[in-house]
Amino acid sequence: MPEGVVVVRDQALALARLEELVDLELWRVDKRTAWTAMAKALIHGMSWETGLVAGVTRAHLAERAGVGLRTVTSLLAWAQDVGLVVCVETGATAEFLGTDTNRAPSYVLTVPRGWEPPAVAVLPEAPQDSAPGAPVDTTCDPPASCVEKRSPWRDRGLNRRHDQPRLEPWPVYDRTETRRDRARAVDTFLGRAGLGGRVVRWRAVAMLGPWFDAGWSVVGLLHAVDHHPDRPDDTRGDAARSARDPLRVLGHRLTPWRGRLADLPTTLAAVDGHVRRTRLAATGDRGVAGGHQAPRVAASPAVRAAARAEVSRVLTNARKRVGPSS
């Protein structure tokens, strides 16, 4: 077995891993449907005791998805490339084996060591006063149960404190480089925007991916959703909270920002994650994490005096080299 992976003996765990890997790919709907059907047929042939998938032929997988044998070969190649499937025994012909039938390849499903399926977001229950048939205030004010003393933006976007410890798929200030980086950045964006579990993930990756490819950061996109580039001081409000199609609302909010990355506040610009991590490792200063600048610490009087003496020495040597005529 490859190093760093473990064999899966639980079909539910394998299906969760399959869904996660498929979400990272920007496939068309027809390809996503067909390849997922073939992969699920392979998982359903798993032994619950050993995790071994034996006797599942390419013809069987092709029939389940209504595709050709070459498509099955492409699926198996992709599954092995992403680490979902490992072939433990190759197939062989009946002539080679000296038997009446061919031997189908045997596979096992694997996940990275320590991997856990992503948690399913649970939406909060609606307040009792918002149930159908509840009395309505004739003044058009919302019921008291819907009004809180805290800001309605406390759980969204830029109003969350970035210096608090957070377990997020992607740093909010880092620039993405690969498809996996982009998908993780989308997960962080959806979590910050309060849309985790409310939208179809692969659609969100397909819509927001080009923005991250263009050099935007997570906090930059959150700012773009909440502000119009021509009216930077005005907040546009949270229209996605009760929207039937939040992704359509996000697309409408982001449209005015196309090609206007330069209008984004410089404090929200994306940074190179490699440079940030290198600087963090060199300085050991936690304040640089997440794209934040480390707090400036005033130098001691002795250090300042030594710096002034060094500057004076450099200037004196420079005057001697130039001469009195200068």
Side-chain angles (χ1 to χ4, degrees), residues 6-18 38-56 60-61 84-85 106-111:
V6 294
V7 176
V8 179
R9 294 180 176 84
D10 186 351
Q11 289 187 356
L13 194 65
L15 291 172
R17 179 60 175 167
L18 169 65
M38 289 185 288
K40 286 184 177 180
L42 194 67
I43 294 174
H44 291 158
M46 176 200 308
S47 169
W48 289 359
E49 296 179 355
T50 63
L52 190 66
V53 180
V56 179
H60 172 72
L61 298 179
L84 176 65
V85 170
S106 298
Y107 307 96
V108 289
L109 285 302
T110 62
V111 297

Side-chain angles (χ1 to χ4, degrees), residues 23-24 31 34 36 43 66 104 112 124 174 193 218 245 260 273-274:
D23 284 342
L24 294 176
K31 178 177 179 180
T36 301
I43 294 174
D174 281 10
V218 173
D245 190 350
R260 302 184 65 172
H274 297 291

Side-chain angles (χ1 to χ4, degrees), residues 19-320:
E19 183 177 356
E20 182 182 56
L21 292 173
V22 170
D23 284 342
L24 294 176
E25 307 290 344
L26 299 181
W27 291 338
R28 301 185 311 270
V29 176
D30 55 345
K31 178 177 179 180
R32 179 188 177 94
T33 303
W35 285 39
T36 301
M38 289 185 288
K40 286 184 177 180
L42 194 67
I43 294 174
H44 291 158
M46 176 200 308
S47 169
W48 289 359
E49 296 179 355
T50 63
L52 190 66
V53 180
V56 179
T57 63
R58 291 197 307 156
H60 172 72
L61 298 179
E63 181 181 359
R64 291 296 298 270
V67 297
L69 295 179
R70 294 182 60 182
T71 305
V72 178
T73 303
S74 299
L75 164 76
L76 294 174
W78 168 81
Q80 295 181 63
D81 288 341
V82 299
L84 176 65
V85 170
V86 173
C87 181
V88 296
E89 185 180 46
T90 59
T93 63
E95 181 181 1
F96 175 81
L97 296 174
T99 59
D100 296 335
T101 58
N102 299 332
R103 183 184 67 198
S106 298
Y107 307 96
V108 289
L109 285 302
T110 62
V111 297
R113 190 178 303 276
W115 177 85
E116 295 182 359
V120 179
V122 179
L123 297 179
E125 296 182 359
Q128 296 296 329
D129 292 347
S130 62
V136 180
D137 192 342
T138 56
T139 62
C140 296
D141 292 333
S145 61
C146 296
V147 181
E148 299 184 16
K149 295 180 180 180
R150 293 179 294 178
S151 168
W153 302 95
R154 67 191 184 282
D155 294 331
R156 294 190 64 250
L158 300 175
N159 292 293
R160 282 187 171 182
R161 291 179 56 85
H162 298 314
D163 55 353
Q164 293 178 350
R166 304 177 58 87
L167 297 177
E168 294 183 315
W170 186 254
V172 294
Y173 283 92
D174 281 10
R175 184 183 301 112
T176 60
E177 297 180 358
T178 65
R179 289 185 303 173
R180 295 181 183 276
D181 294 346
R182 179 175 55 195
R184 293 165 60 191
V186 170
D187 288 339
T188 300
F189 174 86
L190 295 178
R192 288 290 182 105
L195 298 178
R198 289 187 53 195
V199 299
V200 180
R201 185 174 181 272
W202 69 267
R203 288 186 56 201
V205 173
M207 189 191 79
L208 298 174
W211 292 89
F212 289 113
D213 289 343
W216 287 72
S217 64
V218 173
V219 290
L221 280 182
L222 289 169
H223 176 86
V225 170
D226 289 342
H227 298 80
H228 193 283
D230 298 329
R231 297 183 297 275
D233 297 331
D234 298 335
T235 302
R236 305 184 70 180
D238 184 10
R241 183 177 296 275
S242 58
R244 294 184 177 179
D245 190 350
L247 287 182
R248 187 180 296 273
V249 176
L250 293 180
H252 175 75
R253 291 285 186 90
L254 293 175
T255 298
W257 286 92
R258 292 190 180 278
R260 302 184 65 172
L261 179 60
D263 295 337
L264 190 69
T266 56
T267 56
L268 304 179
V271 299
D272 190 332
H274 297 291
V275 174
R276 178 182 61 79
R277 288 187 291 272
T278 302
R279 186 186 310 166
L280 178 62
T283 61
D285 193 341
R286 297 180 61 185
V288 186
H292 293 294
Q293 295 294 332
R296 297 181 180 180
V297 180
S300 64
V303 173
R304 293 198 297 269
R308 286 194 295 267
E310 180 66 17
V311 172
S312 177
R313 184 185 65 81
V314 172
L315 293 178
T316 301
N317 293 336
R319 294 191 190 98
K320 290 180 180 179

